[in-house]
Amino acid sequence: MEYLNVTIRPAADADIPAIVEIENLCFVSPWKEKDFLYELNENPVSNLWVIELEIESQKLKSVLGYCDWWQTFDSATLCKIAVHPEMQRHDLGSAMMDEIYNDCLAKEILTLTLEVRVSNNKAIAFYKKHGFREVVIKPHYYDNGEDALYMLLEIGNYGSNSSN
Ligand SMILES: CC(C)(COP(=O)(O)OP(=O)(O)OC[C@H]1O[C@@H](n2cnc3c(N)ncnc32)[C@H](O)[C@@H]1OP(=O)(O)O)[C@@H](O)C(=O)NCCC(=O)NCCS
């Protein structure tokens, strides 16, 4: 029988190649290796985490996704969350969001905010499922001129979809 362990842990330098590979598969304007190294080693407010699958019988470990969020006093910003395209819709993104939420709660953070492309319907559905609400459109926010949707989660409203 296969034993599968899923772990969310702080990223290390050795995880950067896997993170960059997923980043290139998931984003139109991907961050580069140097951007993740900055987040990991220099940015004092960032939390760069990976989600890793371990298949015990094969002694195999694989990074399947990552997230990066910043804490500024009692507010937080979700900068990145991504799951390898072949592993999406298997609750890995939700597992990372649960971990972020629990850390925000422990650190007495009040709000978690983010920007998402208005065309990114699956991410918007994902955030709404976890209780984020739409606040405002930021026009021409991205390099290619696309608008951003600014969303906010009040910690305490996690997982309460307003349409329920
Ligand atoms: C957004 C993302 C991180 C979600 O991770 P995931 O592991 O696929 O999500 P989960 O399996 O935990 O899905 C949770 C919920 O999100 C929503 N969702 C996820 N994928 C979806 C899709 N393809 N279409 C519609 N809704 C989707 C659903 O509400 C889903 O709940 P359900 O399966 O009960 O319907 C992932 O789709 C991803 O990496 N996308 C590319 C990178 C990206 O756009 N990141 C966000 C940038 S702002």
Side-chain angles (χ1 to χ4, degrees):
M1 187 194 277
E2 296 282 16
Y3 287 97
L4 304 179
N5 290 326
V6 174
T7 310
I8 298 167
R9 58 165 174 80
D13 282 1
D15 299 315
I16 300 294
I19 291 174
V20 170
E21 185 187 337
I22 298 168
E23 174 81 5
N24 287 331
L25 291 169
C26 285
F27 290 99
V28 182
S29 303
W31 283 9
K32 305 270 186 287
E33 181 184 28
K34 66 175 173 49
D35 302 316
F36 288 105
L37 284 170
Y38 175 79
E39 293 298 285
L40 190 54
N41 298 319
E42 292 179 58
N43 186 345
V45 299
S46 82
N47 300 278
L48 178 62
W49 296 344
V50 292
I51 186 162
E52 184 174 62
L53 180 76
E54 179 182 9
I55 305 171
E56 278 190 4
S57 60
Q58 296 178 26
K59 302 265 177 277
L60 198 80
K61 284 185 181 180
S62 186
V63 168
L64 301 177
Y66 56 92
C67 60
D68 184 35
W69 63 280
W70 298 348
Q71 179 181 0
T72 329
F73 302 106
D74 61 3
S75 58
T77 308
L78 181 60
C79 303
K80 287 276 177 188
I81 185 163
V83 172
H84 191 290
E86 287 174 15
M87 293 301 294
Q88 288 177 9
R89 212 81 194 254
H90 292 292
D91 295 331
L92 298 175
S94 294
M96 288 191 281
M97 193 61 89
D98 289 351
E99 200 76 8
I100 295 168
Y101 172 78
N102 286 330
D103 210 32
C104 286
L105 205 56
K107 291 173 173 161
E108 300 186 348
I109 289 169
L110 300 178
T111 57
L112 177 61
T113 60
L114 59 88
E115 280 94 14
V116 55
R117 288 178 186 270
V118 290
S119 63
N120 194 347
N121 294 323
K122 65 181 175 185
I124 293 170
F126 172 79
Y127 295 135
K128 283 187 176 171
K129 180 172 181 182
H130 291 293
F132 284 81
R133 62 180 167 84
E134 301 181 9
V135 178
V136 72
I137 298 282
K138 297 187 177 181
H140 314 299
Y141 183 82
Y142 293 102
D143 287 354
N144 68 350
E146 184 170 356
D147 297 347
L149 174 60
Y150 180 70
M151 303 185 80
L152 179 141
L153 172 71
E154 280 153 38
I155 305 296
N157 285 347
Y158 189 63
S160 61
N161 184 334
S162 54
S163 64
N164 286 340

